Amino acid sequence: MAQSPESSEIATKSVHDVAAGQPRDFCMTFVDSGQSIRVRSGVPLLQAMIAAGVSPVQVGCRGGGCGVCRVRVIDGSYTALAMSRSRISAADEDAGVVLACRIIPQSDMSLQPLPLDIWRGRVPGRSGNVSHKSGEK
Amino acid sequence: MSIHGVLRLGEVCVRVLDIDAARTHYGDHLGLIETGRGGDGTTYYKCWDEHDCHSVVIRPSDQAGIDHVAFKVLDDDTLTRLDGRLRDYGVETRQIEAGAYPRSGRRVEFTLPTGHVCQLYAFKEQVGNGMSATNPGTVPDDGYIRGMRIIRLDHCLLGGQDIAASRDLFIKVFGFYLTEELQDHETRAPLASFVSCSNKPHDIAFVAQPDDAKLHHISFLLESVNDLYHAGDRMGKYDIPIDFGPNRHGVTRGATIYFFDPSGNRNEVFTGGYIYYPDNPPLIWDTSKFGNALFSQGNVVVPSFLNVVS
């Protein structure tokens, strides 16, 4: 039940409602490694991963802007805060491809790390990379 | 040297995903002074020791990143001259009439080789810095300097592919100087280029990124290392995500903390550095001393600093 970014206010409200009520722990399982962590209700997934010292994705901006903490939700429900459309498209979001920093688990979840490699395996400054032509246009 | 062409980076317009959270960040936590709001929620800020009515603009959007950067130039004749120089260099310019941007004179807009929209303007309404222009004293009244005690918007670092071309445009068209460059130690390809139109180690810089039109950070000047620590304390108090710091850059020698706004746009607060003159030799760093160039207390390469952009 991923919510659209436009409903971030609703998502935020529901987070607060959960936080105000009885806190619950949910179990997050990463399908590739089999690692699992507990997440307290109302806590963003990435924040819980940092606290647990288990982060199969990189920690980046923590605000939905950079995209490096991308994961695919295999199973489970969550609410989502706004994520930059330049990193997570509407189709991505519909397919459960989200940013760990912006989702608030609402149940136990199964997750697949989907780290964003912006350099696509290349090394900056080396041949076969970005062009470095200079001079007059 | 006297500054008679491009004066400074006078405005950045940053896209934010949640305008209320962004106002809390830039207004309350950074302590920028709100000077206006637009109908769509766009909000305008100045830093305390800036005279122009705004330097930081935040605009609600579904994408983080930067809409444009804008440089203030000396006067309207300079604006006309630099427009001509851009076109002579082969850059298409767009004319924006006065008032199209609030409280601003006409602007000349163009797109950098790295995909960033860049503007020049000669006039923006001035509202002062909290002190009179006559017998000003030295500090404004209590409450004018707030939050992280940010003095002014200082520079920005933009990410894109052909950073050499953006670097060269600023040098050849606007007369900026190359102050420092970080190069790959084998290929000598530029990984980050720093250029100045003033006595500062940089007024704008470019970092190699696989995608164009990216924002690495906008940077704010603080008065002292004490204020840098004060800013860091506020980041802890308000759970502002810190990317790295406090530390000191090798490049530019600034003492720095990098952190993120609630939409993932990187901000920097910094203090110190050196005074640049145009007869300084460009300082060249390379990746054999990558860590020293980046963060010189520990000489560490911070992965997120290289691949986290908005």
Side-chain angles (χ1 to χ4, degrees):
Chain A
M1 56 171 239
Q3 297 184 6
S4 67
E6 290 74 28
S7 61
S8 61
E9 285 184 13
I10 297 166
T12 305
K13 184 169 181 296
S14 72
V15 169
H16 292 160
D17 288 345
V18 171
Q22 197 69 14
R24 294 181 54 194
D25 279 358
F26 301 118
C27 181
M28 305 291 115
T29 303
F30 297 98
V31 294
D32 292 345
S33 65
Q35 287 179 302
S36 63
I37 61 168
R38 311 290 299 179
V39 179
R40 181 61 50 101
S41 54
V43 174
L45 173 60
L46 187 67
Q47 188 177 320
M49 289 157 64
I50 294 168
V54 173
S55 189
V57 289
Q58 188 183 343
V59 176
C61 73
R62 286 154 279 177
C66 75
V68 299
C69 66
R70 196 174 57 172
V71 296
R72 184 192 307 278
V73 177
I74 306 296
D75 189 36
S77 61
Y78 56 93
T79 53
L81 303 173
M83 294 171 272
S84 185
R85 278 285 176 249
S86 62
R87 293 304 193 196
I88 299 293
S89 68
D92 286 338
E93 200 168 342
D94 289 345
V97 175
V98 295
L99 301 179
C101 68
R102 303 300 276 175
I103 66 166
I104 319 286
Q106 301 292 332
S107 74
D108 292 350
M109 296 180 73
S110 295
L111 300 150
Q112 179 185 28
L114 210 58
L116 176 70
D117 174 15
I118 62 167
W119 285 97
R120 296 179 275 278
R122 296 172 298 169
V123 178
R126 297 299 169 86
S127 60
N129 280 334
V130 297
S131 64
H132 291 291
K133 62 182 182 292
S134 61
E136 307 284 345
K137 299 296 288 182
Chain B
M1 177 181 62
S2 52
I3 304 172
H4 281 161
V6 176
L7 303 182
R8 63 178 173 273
L9 177 66
E11 180 178 307
V12 292
C13 182
V14 175
R15 296 188 295 266
V16 298
L17 305 174
D18 178 336
I19 191 66
D20 291 330
R23 285 173 180 156
T24 299
H25 177 82
Y26 288 100
D28 297 342
H29 296 166
L30 270 63
L32 305 187
I33 298 165
E34 183 178 325
T35 54
R37 288 190 187 187
D40 64 348
T42 295
T43 307
Y44 300 81
Y45 297 96
K46 71 180 280 289
C47 309
W48 86 258
D49 204 13
E50 293 170 334
H51 293 267
D52 283 0
C53 58
H54 56 265
S55 58
V56 175
V57 184
I58 54 174
R59 184 179 73 80
S61 173
D62 64 0
Q63 297 186 19
I66 194 153
D67 270 348
H68 68 260
V69 299
F71 287 84
K72 193 172 193 186
V73 305
L74 183 65
D75 54 24
D76 198 68
D77 287 345
T78 304
L79 186 58
T80 300
R81 180 172 60 83
L82 293 177
D83 181 22
R85 287 182 62 85
L86 279 166
R87 284 185 275 111
D88 289 346
Y89 194 68
V91 178
E92 179 191 339
T93 62
R94 304 176 285 275
Q95 308 299 315
I96 300 172
E97 62 186 27
Y101 286 87
R103 306 167 85 174
S104 293
R106 72 182 179 97
R107 298 189 178 196
V108 172
E109 182 180 89
F110 59 102
T111 303
L112 291 169
T114 40
H116 303 89
V117 174
C118 186
Q119 299 173 346
L120 305 177
Y121 63 96
F123 174 80
K124 191 184 279 183
E125 205 175 294
Q126 293 200 318
V127 297
N129 65 350
M131 296 183 285
S132 171
T134 305
N135 298 321
T138 57
V139 290
D141 288 338
D142 283 350
Y144 198 77
I145 303 174
R146 299 182 304 114
M148 296 187 190
R149 305 174 186 157
I150 286 165
I151 296 172
R152 59 174 162 76
L153 174 68
D154 188 87
H155 64 268
C156 62
L157 175 58
L158 305 179
Q161 297 181 54
D162 196 352
I163 64 169
S166 284
R167 170 199 70 192
D168 288 350
L169 187 152
F170 273 86
I171 292 171
K172 293 177 180 174
V173 178
F174 299 144
F176 281 47
Y177 290 88
L178 180 69
T179 58
E180 305 203 33
E181 191 159 85
L182 172 65
Q183 301 175 350
D184 182 277
H185 74 280
E186 291 179 358
T187 67
R188 289 294 156 196
L191 300 178
S193 299
F194 303 77
V195 292
S196 174
C197 63
S198 66
N199 275 134
K200 294 163 17 182
H202 54 339
D203 287 283
I204 189 169
F206 299 95
V207 61
Q209 285 289 304
D211 301 310
D212 279 338
K214 290 298 181 185
L215 172 65
H216 188 280
H217 71 263
I218 57 173
S219 182
F220 299 100
L221 178 71
L222 302 181
E223 184 168 291
S224 66
V225 167
N226 278 354
D227 278 0
L228 190 76
Y229 248 74
H230 171 263
D233 287 338
R234 300 189 77 84
M235 294 173 206
K237 178 179 176 69
Y238 296 117
D239 281 322
I240 296 171
I242 290 180
D243 189 24
F244 199 70
N247 206 289
R248 184 182 297 282
H249 282 305
V251 176
T252 76
R253 294 189 219 150
T256 176
I257 304 176
Y258 285 96
F259 56 103
F260 294 102
D261 81 5
S263 303
N265 298 301
R266 191 187 279 100
N267 297 169
E268 178 190 31
V269 285
F270 86 102
T271 186
Y274 57 88
I275 293 177
Y276 174 79
Y277 285 97
D279 62 339
N280 284 23
L283 305 179
I284 306 301
W285 301 75
D286 65 37
T287 43
S288 69
K289 291 283 186 182
F290 205 175
N292 307 56
L294 293 181
F295 294 106
S296 63
Q297 297 172 341
N299 300 326
V300 284
V301 177
V302 179
S304 60
F305 195 69
L306 307 180
N307 70 354
V308 168
V309 293
S310 62

